[in-house]
Each structure stands twice: as structure tokens, then as C-alpha cells.
Amino acid sequence: MAGETDLNKLLATMTPELRPGIHVFATLPPDEPVPDSLEPVMLFREREGTTVIALEEEAEAAGLEIVFRCRMVTLNIHSSLEAVGFLAAITIRLAAAGMGVNPVSAFYHDYLFVPADRAVEAMAILTKLAEENR
């Protein structure tokens, strides 16, 4: 199951889903373990430290310094990890609206972390983008 690579099909058939809860980004020093109480949706280890994306209440309870309050959008199309231009088309559209976004690709889906206070607007933009490609 390699996923879809056709850009038009990806854009036309994506069904964005706004996930519940406020997520945040936080970082841990390179050698510090992830707190047991935390169930992050993403961990990424860099030389400078470990980036954590988790629900806000979990990050606060773990005592993490949080940045970027955001909402998670699942694009609900199994895009190939080799698909060309899918996230570029989406991020360009959000950028045109003056909205920053942090995209994350996993095996089955792509995810967008959009500013919490602009999540409804982001969903409208994504829905319109899908409709324009049908």
C-alpha cells in the first residue's frame, strides 16, 4: 500500500478533519527522556533536543515550556511519501492567507498544525482547495 502520488487526485479527494484539543510544540534537552505522563503525537530527535507535539494539558502537566498553540488537521488521504507538490500546494494556499503551518507527514496521512485561533479559517481554505480540484 504505497499511497497516492497524483497531485490533482490528492487535492481533490483529501477530506480535512479538525482533530479535537489544542496541541502545542515543546522541546526537551537532547539527553532528557520524554516524561511518562506524556503521550505525544510526534517526537523528532534533533542534535539540539527532542521536539514534542502533544496535547496542551499533557505538556503543561509535564512541566514543559510550550510554544505554538495549534490545532491538528488530518488530511485523510493516503498520500505516498514520494508524492510531489501536495503539501506545497496546501502550504502556499495557507501562506496566501497569512497563516503559518507546520506540516508533518506520516506513513498513511499528512497532518497540519495550524494556529489554534485560525483553525476554522484553515479548514475553510482546505475545503475550498479540495473543491477547486474536483
Side-chain angles (χ1 to χ4, degrees):
M1 220 171 136
E4 183 60 56
T5 59
D6 180 85
L7 178 58
N8 190 37
K9 188 171 182 181
L10 285 166
L11 292 170
T13 60
M14 71 170 173
T15 54
E17 175 188 0
L18 186 60
R19 304 303 301 263
I22 302 291
H23 286 77
V24 294
F25 281 62
T27 186
L28 298 168
D31 297 326
E32 187 173 319
V34 175
D36 290 335
S37 62
L38 200 61
E39 292 188 37
V41 294
M42 190 203 82
L43 292 173
F44 196 92
R45 299 190 192 284
E46 301 177 88
R47 286 185 297 270
E48 300 84 356
T50 301
T51 298
V52 176
I53 304 175
L55 287 168
E56 183 175 43
E57 58 270 15
E58 289 180 14
E60 287 176 342
L64 299 180
E65 182 179 337
I66 59 175
V67 296
F68 192 57
R69 294 181 78 247
C70 54
R71 296 286 305 273
M72 183 169 79
V73 177
T74 304
L75 294 177
N76 284 332
I77 177 78
H78 183 187
S79 61
S80 168
L81 292 169
E82 297 177 1
V84 176
F86 181 48
L87 289 176
I90 290 167
T91 58
I92 286 169
R93 187 64 65 95
L94 294 171
M99 187 181 309
V101 59
N102 288 281
V104 173
S105 295
F107 187 83
Y108 292 103
H109 302 290
D110 295 287
Y111 300 86
L112 306 175
F113 292 89
V114 298
D117 61 346
R118 297 188 72 188
V120 172
E121 179 186 359
M123 289 296 292
I125 291 168
L126 295 168
T127 300
K128 184 177 181 186
L129 180 59
E131 290 170 356
E132 290 171 357
N133 284 277
R134 289 189 186 126

PDB file of all heavy atoms in Angstrom, residues 6 12-13 17 28 33 36 40 84 92 105 108 121 123:
ATOM      1  N   ASP A   6      -0.720  11.053  -7.465  1.00  0.00           N
ATOM      2  CA  ASP A   6      -1.270  12.026  -8.400  1.00  0.00           C
ATOM      3  C   ASP A   6      -1.724  13.278  -7.643  1.00  0.00           C
ATOM      4  O   ASP A   6      -2.629  13.216  -6.814  1.00  0.00           O
ATOM      5  CB  ASP A   6      -2.451  11.403  -9.155  1.00  0.00           C
ATOM      6  CG  ASP A   6      -3.051  12.373 -10.150  1.00  0.00           C
ATOM      7  OD1 ASP A   6      -2.533  12.457 -11.285  1.00  0.00           O
ATOM      8  OD2 ASP A   6      -4.023  13.065  -9.780  1.00  0.00           O
ATOM      9  N   ALA A  12      -8.033  16.793  -4.759  1.00  0.00           N
ATOM     10  CA  ALA A  12      -9.481  16.669  -4.973  1.00  0.00           C
ATOM     11  C   ALA A  12     -10.156  15.763  -3.956  1.00  0.00           C
ATOM     12  O   ALA A  12     -11.316  15.988  -3.589  1.00  0.00           O
ATOM     13  CB  ALA A  12      -9.753  16.154  -6.378  1.00  0.00           C
ATOM     14  N   THR A  13      -9.441  14.752  -3.498  1.00  0.00           N
ATOM     15  CA  THR A  13     -10.084  13.761  -2.634  1.00  0.00           C
ATOM     16  C   THR A  13      -9.696  13.863  -1.164  1.00  0.00           C
ATOM     17  O   THR A  13     -10.206  13.099  -0.353  1.00  0.00           O
ATOM     18  CB  THR A  13      -9.813  12.332  -3.143  1.00  0.00           C
ATOM     19  OG1 THR A  13      -8.402  12.103  -3.160  1.00  0.00           O
ATOM     20  CG2 THR A  13     -10.391  12.130  -4.534  1.00  0.00           C
ATOM     21  N   GLU A  17      -9.839  16.944   8.358  1.00  0.00           N
ATOM     22  CA  GLU A  17     -10.569  16.705   9.601  1.00  0.00           C
ATOM     23  C   GLU A  17      -9.874  17.448  10.734  1.00  0.00           C
ATOM     24  O   GLU A  17      -8.696  17.208  11.007  1.00  0.00           O
ATOM     25  CB  GLU A  17     -10.596  15.206   9.902  1.00  0.00           C
ATOM     26  CG  GLU A  17     -11.216  14.852  11.218  1.00  0.00           C
ATOM     27  CD  GLU A  17     -11.046  13.375  11.566  1.00  0.00           C
ATOM     28  OE1 GLU A  17     -10.436  12.617  10.778  1.00  0.00           O
ATOM     29  OE2 GLU A  17     -11.498  12.991  12.651  1.00  0.00           O
ATOM     30  N   LEU A  28      12.666  19.149  24.493  1.00  0.00           N
ATOM     31  CA  LEU A  28      13.397  18.579  25.627  1.00  0.00           C
ATOM     32  C   LEU A  28      14.884  18.595  25.290  1.00  0.00           C
ATOM     33  O   LEU A  28      15.254  18.424  24.126  1.00  0.00           O
ATOM     34  CB  LEU A  28      12.970  17.126  25.866  1.00  0.00           C
ATOM     35  CG  LEU A  28      11.514  16.885  26.221  1.00  0.00           C
ATOM     36  CD1 LEU A  28      11.189  15.392  26.122  1.00  0.00           C
ATOM     37  CD2 LEU A  28      11.227  17.404  27.615  1.00  0.00           C
ATOM     38  N   PRO A  33      14.766  12.207  28.934  1.00  0.00           N
ATOM     39  CA  PRO A  33      13.713  11.305  28.448  1.00  0.00           C
ATOM     40  C   PRO A  33      12.358  12.014  28.381  1.00  0.00           C
ATOM     41  O   PRO A  33      12.126  13.004  29.076  1.00  0.00           O
ATOM     42  CB  PRO A  33      13.689  10.188  29.495  1.00  0.00           C
ATOM     43  CG  PRO A  33      14.240  10.822  30.734  1.00  0.00           C
ATOM     44  CD  PRO A  33      15.214  11.871  30.277  1.00  0.00           C
ATOM     45  N   ASP A  36       6.901  10.163  31.357  1.00  0.00           N
ATOM     46  CA  ASP A  36       5.982   9.028  31.228  1.00  0.00           C
ATOM     47  C   ASP A  36       4.528   9.455  31.085  1.00  0.00           C
ATOM     48  O   ASP A  36       3.728   8.758  30.462  1.00  0.00           O
ATOM     49  CB  ASP A  36       6.120   8.087  32.435  1.00  0.00           C
ATOM     50  CG  ASP A  36       7.445   7.347  32.438  1.00  0.00           C
ATOM     51  OD1 ASP A  36       8.036   7.169  31.354  1.00  0.00           O
ATOM     52  OD2 ASP A  36       7.885   6.940  33.533  1.00  0.00           O
ATOM     53  N   PRO A  40       2.823  11.958  23.338  1.00  0.00           N
ATOM     54  CA  PRO A  40       2.939  12.865  22.186  1.00  0.00           C
ATOM     55  C   PRO A  40       2.403  12.244  20.909  1.00  0.00           C
ATOM     56  O   PRO A  40       2.455  11.029  20.727  1.00  0.00           O
ATOM     57  CB  PRO A  40       4.445  13.122  22.087  1.00  0.00           C
ATOM     58  CG  PRO A  40       5.095  12.034  22.835  1.00  0.00           C
ATOM     59  CD  PRO A  40       4.108  11.503  23.820  1.00  0.00           C
ATOM     60  N   VAL A  84       4.681  14.382  -5.005  1.00  0.00           N
ATOM     61  CA  VAL A  84       5.340  15.663  -5.262  1.00  0.00           C
ATOM     62  C   VAL A  84       4.312  16.786  -5.292  1.00  0.00           C
ATOM     63  O   VAL A  84       3.339  16.730  -6.044  1.00  0.00           O
ATOM     64  CB  VAL A  84       6.104  15.620  -6.614  1.00  0.00           C
ATOM     65  CG1 VAL A  84       6.709  16.977  -6.934  1.00  0.00           C
ATOM     66  CG2 VAL A  84       7.172  14.534  -6.584  1.00  0.00           C
ATOM     67  N   ILE A  92       1.160  26.766   0.363  1.00  0.00           N
ATOM     68  CA  ILE A  92       1.110  28.008  -0.422  1.00  0.00           C
ATOM     69  C   ILE A  92      -0.240  28.686  -0.225  1.00  0.00           C
ATOM     70  O   ILE A  92      -0.325  29.905  -0.052  1.00  0.00           O
ATOM     71  CB  ILE A  92       1.388  27.735  -1.914  1.00  0.00           C
ATOM     72  CG1 ILE A  92       2.875  27.454  -2.121  1.00  0.00           C
ATOM     73  CG2 ILE A  92       0.925  28.888  -2.793  1.00  0.00           C
ATOM     74  CD1 ILE A  92       3.228  26.925  -3.494  1.00  0.00           C
ATOM     75  N   SER A 105       4.361  14.658   7.870  1.00  0.00           N
ATOM     76  CA  SER A 105       3.944  13.506   7.081  1.00  0.00           C
ATOM     77  C   SER A 105       4.236  12.235   7.858  1.00  0.00           C
ATOM     78  O   SER A 105       5.326  12.066   8.411  1.00  0.00           O
ATOM     79  CB  SER A 105       4.695  13.463   5.755  1.00  0.00           C
ATOM     80  OG  SER A 105       4.349  14.576   4.968  1.00  0.00           O
ATOM     81  N   TYR A 108       0.622   6.952   6.586  1.00  0.00           N
ATOM     82  CA  TYR A 108      -0.704   6.914   5.974  1.00  0.00           C
ATOM     83  C   TYR A 108      -1.274   8.280   5.611  1.00  0.00           C
ATOM     84  O   TYR A 108      -2.024   8.401   4.658  1.00  0.00           O
ATOM     85  CB  TYR A 108      -1.702   6.188   6.887  1.00  0.00           C
ATOM     86  CG  TYR A 108      -1.387   4.722   7.013  1.00  0.00           C
ATOM     87  CD1 TYR A 108      -0.774   4.228   8.159  1.00  0.00           C
ATOM     88  CD2 TYR A 108      -1.669   3.840   5.984  1.00  0.00           C
ATOM     89  CE1 TYR A 108      -0.470   2.881   8.269  1.00  0.00           C
ATOM     90  CE2 TYR A 108      -1.365   2.490   6.090  1.00  0.00           C
ATOM     91  CZ  TYR A 108      -0.764   2.020   7.244  1.00  0.00           C
ATOM     92  OH  TYR A 108      -0.451   0.695   7.339  1.00  0.00           O
ATOM     93  N   GLU A 121     -10.763  28.881   9.954  1.00  0.00           N
ATOM     94  CA  GLU A 121     -10.365  29.501   8.682  1.00  0.00           C
ATOM     95  C   GLU A 121      -9.531  28.534   7.843  1.00  0.00           C
ATOM     96  O   GLU A 121      -9.724  28.411   6.628  1.00  0.00           O
ATOM     97  CB  GLU A 121      -9.584  30.787   8.963  1.00  0.00           C
ATOM     98  CG  GLU A 121      -9.089  31.502   7.744  1.00  0.00           C
ATOM     99  CD  GLU A 121      -8.188  32.688   8.067  1.00  0.00           C
ATOM    100  OE1 GLU A 121      -7.944  32.987   9.256  1.00  0.00           O
ATOM    101  OE2 GLU A 121      -7.714  33.309   7.106  1.00  0.00           O
ATOM    102  N   MET A 123      -9.611  25.295   7.894  1.00  0.00           N
ATOM    103  CA  MET A 123     -10.498  24.257   7.369  1.00  0.00           C
ATOM    104  C   MET A 123     -11.269  24.755   6.152  1.00  0.00           C
ATOM    105  O   MET A 123     -11.434  24.019   5.173  1.00  0.00           O
ATOM    106  CB  MET A 123     -11.459  23.783   8.459  1.00  0.00           C
ATOM    107  CG  MET A 123     -10.780  22.961   9.550  1.00  0.00           C
ATOM    108  SD  MET A 123     -10.094  21.407   8.935  1.00  0.00           S
ATOM    109  CE  MET A 123     -11.615  20.534   8.543  1.00  0.00           C
TER     110      MET A 123
END
